Amino acid sequence: ALVGDPDIGFEGLRQFGPTLIHHAQLKVREGIRNENFMMVDSPGMIDSPVSSAGMGSNNNIMDRGYDFQGVVRWFAERADVVLLMFDPDKPGTTGETLNILLHSLGGMDHKLLIVLNKADQFKKIHDFARAYGSLCWNLSKVIPRKDLPRIFTMCLPVKNGENAIPSDISTTEALDQRALADLHQTRDDVLAEVMKAPKRRVDNVITNLTDSVHLLLMHSVVAEDVRSRYSKRAWENRMQELSSVVLGMGMAGLGMHFSVPPQFTGGVVAATMLGVGGMHWFNSSQLKNVEEQLTSVEELSASFQRTHPQEVSEADEYYASVWARIRDPLRLSLWRTGLADFPAVKKGEMEELQRILDEDIPRLRRLASPSHHGSGKNNR
């Protein structure tokens, strides 16, 4: 029912196979204070060791019977707030957790909240420091930033007396009431961020639109560069063949005009036909080699550098990340369609995409945030 319902929006989960579909469950709650919320709770991380090939390996991608990393990425791209929660006993030490952060949640820092939950379980301050330090150390392996994002240290509300300090633990070692109050305040901060989800929805949609237009524009620019280079080579080959035909037919015509023996004229025509046929076969084989070369990773990277010289010279990390995301899909698309049949991208179409980035998306940002500084001036 979850995947089959056309109004919920989870039809895309079919691509991950029947194992996920059969395990996914939907619960609808009514009569609660907050409405228009949808929460997705993923399974806990499996403590499987990282393969010898490194965290970038996908050898264990089907440990659950489906692509767990892909499913997390699918949900995270559509979510407005993502909470990545760690428990004190396993503060980010599982290999799957690091893989999820590296491959599934990469580029989603604007909506990712990292939470160290159940911090009230620590009875000694150095146990808390050890777990917190371990979490920071593990996060530093997969978050390429000098400064780590904020880690929300919180606990869930408990009944009175459950957090009482045991008599065998001194008050200097245990978490005192001030520390518990700080944990509850952090929980309120996380809750406030979650409650902002409906307001952040529009901003996330605009962000996704911006990202999609950037992907499409770079895909179009690089693909058109590769296709045009292939078309230029194919046109040169056709001109060579046509020139050979014209030259042969011209010599045959001159022979007939000057009453040259027909054996010579026939020989010229036959030689022309054989020569053009051999040239066509040779050019076709060479064109296939050119196509394989143009669709190689090295040549595609060279096309990216040629079409984006300013971004490459400035070492623009955003464009580098966009290129890393479209390189393999672009190569697959060019290979499946073939450069000879790949449709041309008109200059006006690429200019329209650039106009969307330069004009439409900034206007949408101002409409979504009317109180933004300077937006009122621009809307007058």
Side-chain angles (χ1 to χ4, degrees):
L2 176 64
V3 179
D5 194 321
D7 298 326
I8 299 182
F10 292 113
E11 297 89 343
L13 292 176
R14 293 185 184 275
Q15 61 180 304
F16 298 105
T19 303
L20 172 66
I21 296 176
H22 295 159
H23 282 78
Q25 298 181 358
L26 173 66
K27 294 182 179 180
V28 180
R29 299 189 61 182
E30 298 180 352
I32 58 178
R33 183 178 59 181
N34 301 313
E35 298 180 351
N36 300 323
F37 265 86
M38 182 177 292
M39 302 182 64
V40 179
D41 183 20
S42 68
M45 303 297 179
I46 297 178
D47 192 12
S48 58
V50 181
S51 65
S52 59
M55 286 182 292
S57 173
N58 290 328
N59 293 336
N60 299 324
I61 198 171
M62 297 298 290
D63 282 348
R64 300 174 182 268
Y66 59 91
D67 181 5
F68 182 66
Q69 294 181 22
V71 174
V72 172
R73 182 79 186 182
W74 191 91
F75 276 111
E77 288 175 346
R78 291 157 177 79
D80 299 307
V81 180
V82 179
L83 301 180
L84 184 59
M85 308 189 76
F86 295 93
D87 287 342
D89 55 340
K90 293 180 180 179
T93 56
T94 65
E96 190 174 50
T97 303
L98 301 181
N99 272 322
I100 290 297
L101 270 169
L102 186 63
H103 300 291
S104 300
L105 300 179
M108 301 187 185
D109 299 351
H110 61 288
K111 56 182 176 182
L112 176 63
L113 304 180
I114 300 177
V115 178
L116 179 59
N117 195 27
K118 303 177 183 178
D120 55 332
Q121 293 183 358
F122 295 108
K123 299 305 179 183
K124 296 183 179 181
I125 193 64
H126 65 266
D127 291 337
F128 168 77
R130 185 185 299 112
Y132 192 88
S134 177
L135 176 58
C136 292
W137 171 257
N138 288 302
L139 291 178
S140 67
K141 299 177 183 178
V142 292
I143 299 180
R145 291 169 50 181
K146 180 180 179 181
D147 300 323
L148 289 176
R150 177 185 177 185
I151 300 176
F152 292 86
T153 306
M154 54 169 268
C155 65
L156 297 179
V158 294
K159 297 179 180 180
N160 294 332
E162 290 190 10
N163 286 105
I165 301 174
S167 57
D168 58 337
I169 299 179
S170 64
T171 57
T172 59
E173 293 179 325
L175 293 176
D176 57 18
Q177 294 300 319
R178 290 176 298 177
L180 290 177
D182 184 66
L183 297 180
H184 290 300
Q185 178 59 48
T186 305
R187 173 184 172 273
D188 294 338
D189 295 341
V190 173
L191 183 60
E193 292 294 330
V194 173
M195 297 303 294
K196 293 178 183 177
K199 295 182 179 179
R200 297 172 62 175
R201 180 61 181 165
V202 176
D203 184 69
N204 288 335
V205 169
I206 298 175
T207 300
N208 292 334
L209 174 62
T210 306
D211 186 64
S212 299
V213 175
H214 274 292
L215 290 172
L216 180 57
L217 180 58
M218 184 177 293
H219 189 286
S220 303
V221 171
V222 177
E224 179 59 21
D225 178 75
V226 175
R227 189 205 63 82
S228 61
R229 294 174 64 196
Y230 177 85
S231 298
K232 180 180 179 181
R233 182 61 181 270
W235 178 255
E236 292 175 352
N237 292 345
R238 286 194 292 268
M239 291 301 297
Q240 291 178 358
E241 298 168 7
L242 181 60
S243 299
S244 299
V245 171
V246 171
L247 179 61
M249 293 299 101
M251 293 180 63
L254 288 175
M256 294 177 63
H257 178 73
F258 290 105
S259 300
V260 177
Q263 292 85 354
F264 175 79
T265 304
V268 170
V269 173
T272 301
M273 294 177 61
L274 290 175
V276 172
M279 182 181 296
H280 179 74
W281 174 83
F282 177 78
N283 288 340
S284 299
S285 60
Q286 288 297 108
L287 206 57
K288 291 182 180 178
N289 295 333
V290 170
E291 182 174 8
E292 293 178 359
Q293 182 181 3
L294 289 176
T295 55
S296 64
V297 176
E298 294 78 10
E299 285 298 322
L300 288 177
S301 298
S303 295
F304 165 69
Q305 296 176 4
R306 184 168 48 254
T307 54
H308 298 78
Q310 181 178 354
E311 291 80 5
V312 173
S313 64
E314 295 176 353
D316 193 313
E317 292 293 337
Y318 177 75
Y319 277 87
S321 65
V322 173
W323 169 243
R325 292 167 59 188
I326 73 164
R327 180 183 57 198
D328 292 337
L330 172 61
R331 184 168 182 261
L332 181 60
S333 177
L334 294 173
W335 177 78
R336 283 182 175 178
T337 307
L339 295 180
D341 299 324
F342 201 85
V345 182
K346 299 179 181 179
K347 184 178 180 180
E349 295 173 339
M350 289 186 284
E351 291 177 348
E352 180 64 19
L353 290 175
Q354 189 62 50
R355 188 194 63 79
I356 294 175
L357 291 174
D358 296 337
E359 299 178 11
D360 291 348
I361 290 179
R363 183 167 61 250
L364 290 175
R365 292 286 188 192
R366 297 186 188 101
L367 292 174
S369 303
S371 60
H372 186 271
H373 177 70
S375 61
K377 179 179 179 180
N378 294 328
N379 289 333
R380 290 193 183 102

